[in-house]
Amino acid sequence: TATATATALHRELGAPETWDFLEVCPPVTRPYGVVDAKFVADVRALLSLSEGESIDANQESGLFDGHPSRVLRGAEAVASHAGDMGHHARHPPDLVVLPLTTEEVAAVVRLCYVRRVPIVPRGAGTGLEGGCVAYRGGVVIDTCLMKRIATVDGEQLAVVGAGVLKNELNKFLEPLGLLFGPDPSSNPSIGGMASTGGSGMSTLKYGTSKENVRSMTVVTPTGRVIRTRQAVRKSSTGYELNSLYLGAEGTLGVITELTVRLFPRPKVRCGAVVVFPDVRAAATTVVDAVRANLDTLLRCELMNDEGIRVTNVVFKTSLATAPTLFLEFVGNTRKGAEGDWNAMLRMAKRNGAETWRFAASGEELDELWDARRGCYLGAMRYRGLMAGDPKRKESVYVGDVCVPTSRLAECVAMTEADFKDAGFPCVMCAHISDGNFHCLIPYAPEEEERLMALNDKVIARAIGMGGAASGEHGVGIGKIKHVCWEHGPFHVDCQRRLKRALDPRMIMNPGKIFTPEQSEEERRARHRHMGGPSTSKL
């Protein structure tokens, strides 16, 4: 009976007040538990769902937000959760669970903890490094139904469910004259943005996603629920757990709710496109503008000549085929916004700008930005269109390095030259004002090995210039070795020890950011640091 099942589950999982990190845990070498019929039935019992019951029995269609059930099993049912938007291999989970509340997440996590079943948190699936893919099988916890949005009275803050999409939040806020600042070109979930550090095109003015999250509710790997901090601007009361979970990519817990910072919606929008003879001249202009601290500069994006060519071919635009800056200025007065534009135009002219087009209205500006937002789709179709095959779509690798602005012009120019010399189309779309740039490279399967070797060279150069292997896409599985290049083996080992302390059964998104055990890459780096093999376990 349902009562007997609930009693047995309660006995197995234990009362929440007894859950303790000090429990005797099996070694991490113990095999992961299986997702069998009993496990699925127990998940349904925890979510109070009978076999085949829809999420809302009152709906005639039996659907909620397009999902006929909140527990998905079987190859066809979980296929949409087998990958992300990146180029990495797909792998289906054994089960997908779509919770509505933090309490439901906690119950499912506790079950997985007791039976050592891997958990992979998932937002909108717009990531690029395989971070939300269940390569070890297990359970994907999809937060897409966690859609609560509420503003905080008297504060420029909103409390949002982890599954709320960026565009959904801003649509809710628009009548209130407010907005959420970070603006990735995709439409990710807010929880996913926090998990990877995704930021997008407005970082210069509003900051990264990490800087816009005041507080979070997190379900830990044992099933406990914690709040990372109070939602105040300043707090000096112990370890900053907010920072610990931001960028952790679901390896330390499941983010279920976030309190995020909001901004007044500006009254004036204007902008421009400025064409340069080469990417170095464009990047130099951006460095000059950042140093000038132009208050109203919101977006400053670079597309190289290949990116413009792609846009013209795919979207039938007629932009000049040369490196181009896309600029947007926002403020409460037209005088302030246009004043900053004129100041930047003077800088651009000093650096050899050839032509420019000013957009005085938001509507006209949006037409200009369509070209920038279409980079990924354009790169996917570009070589097919050039070859006369409009239906051909290729895989696209999206690079994501970040360097100090003082080295930006040099790094961008050298990176573009590397790809072009190797015969790859290099569609460069860069959040260039914060040193973060993306190279979108279409490739055929037989070109992948050569492309990855070239990408290693690009990342190594960025790190050598004092930069980061990823500015906003995260690590996932794609940049595990690059984390060691950037931070060194002892830093990586410190991260691994933190995970083992908080996730002793290694169930939370295993195999992401770093390997469960020391990798050969770390071992070699450790030997280089210490002058030879070490017997130390530190």
Side-chain angles (χ1 to χ4, degrees), residues 173-229:
L173 295 172
E174 186 173 6
L176 305 177
L178 299 169
L179 59 80
F180 178 62
D183 184 27
S185 56
S186 62
N187 185 22
S189 68
I190 305 301
M193 290 175 66
S195 290
T196 62
S199 301
M201 295 186 282
S202 57
T203 302
L204 182 64
K205 186 172 182 65
Y206 296 130
T208 69
S209 59
K210 294 179 179 180
E211 294 154 357
N212 282 273
V213 176
R214 281 281 176 86
S215 177
M216 294 182 291
T217 299
V218 176
V219 176
T220 72
T222 63
R224 281 185 164 174
V225 178
I226 65 169
R227 191 180 189 193
T228 55
R229 70 193 298 274

Side-chain angles (χ1 to χ4, degrees), residues 23 62 66 138 143 147 155 196 203 211 233 243-244 277 290 293 303 316 337 379 382 398 400 418 429 433 435 451 488:
E23 294 171 353
T143 61
K147 296 289 194 183
E155 303 282 347
T196 62
T203 302
E211 294 154 357
R233 185 171 186 179
S243 296
L244 180 65
V290 171
N293 193 27
M303 287 178 66
K316 311 300 182 186
Y382 177 57
V398 184
D400 173 45
D418 282 343
C429 300
S433 58
L451 174 59

Side-chain angles (χ1 to χ4, degrees), residues 402-424:
C402 188
V403 295
T405 53
S406 61
R407 306 296 300 274
L408 181 61
E410 177 186 8
C411 191
V412 165
M414 294 174 71
T415 298
E416 182 187 48
D418 282 343
F419 283 112
K420 290 189 174 183
D421 290 347
F424 285 104

Side-chain angles (χ1 to χ4, degrees), residues 216-272:
M216 294 182 291
T217 299
V218 176
V219 176
T220 72
T222 63
R224 281 185 164 174
V225 178
I226 65 169
R227 191 180 189 193
T228 55
R229 70 193 298 274
Q230 296 286 70
V232 291
R233 185 171 186 179
K234 295 171 65 177
S235 174
S236 184
T237 52
Y239 295 154
E240 182 54 271
L241 296 188
N242 223 40
S243 296
L244 180 65
Y245 287 99
L246 289 167
E249 301 186 33
T251 61
L252 301 178
V254 183
I255 298 170
T256 60
E257 193 171 76
L258 308 92
T259 302
V260 298
R261 184 183 179 193
L262 307 177
F263 293 88
R265 190 171 291 272
K267 298 176 181 177
V268 174
R269 293 177 64 217
C270 63

Side-chain angles (χ1 to χ4, degrees), residues 23 93 101 145 235 280-281 301 316 333 389 401 504 511 524:
E23 294 171 353
T101 65
L145 301 183
S235 174
R280 188 181 292 271
E301 299 283 305
K316 311 300 182 186
T333 66
D389 183 4
V401 296
R524 290 196 299 267

Side-chain angles (χ1 to χ4, degrees), residues 11 23 61 77 115 141 265 327 329 347 425 427 443 493 496:
R11 187 181 303 113
E23 294 171 353
S61 64
R115 300 186 188 174
I141 295 181
R265 190 171 291 272
L327 307 173
F329 300 85
M347 300 175 203
V427 178
Y443 68 95
D493 188 61
R496 185 181 290 111

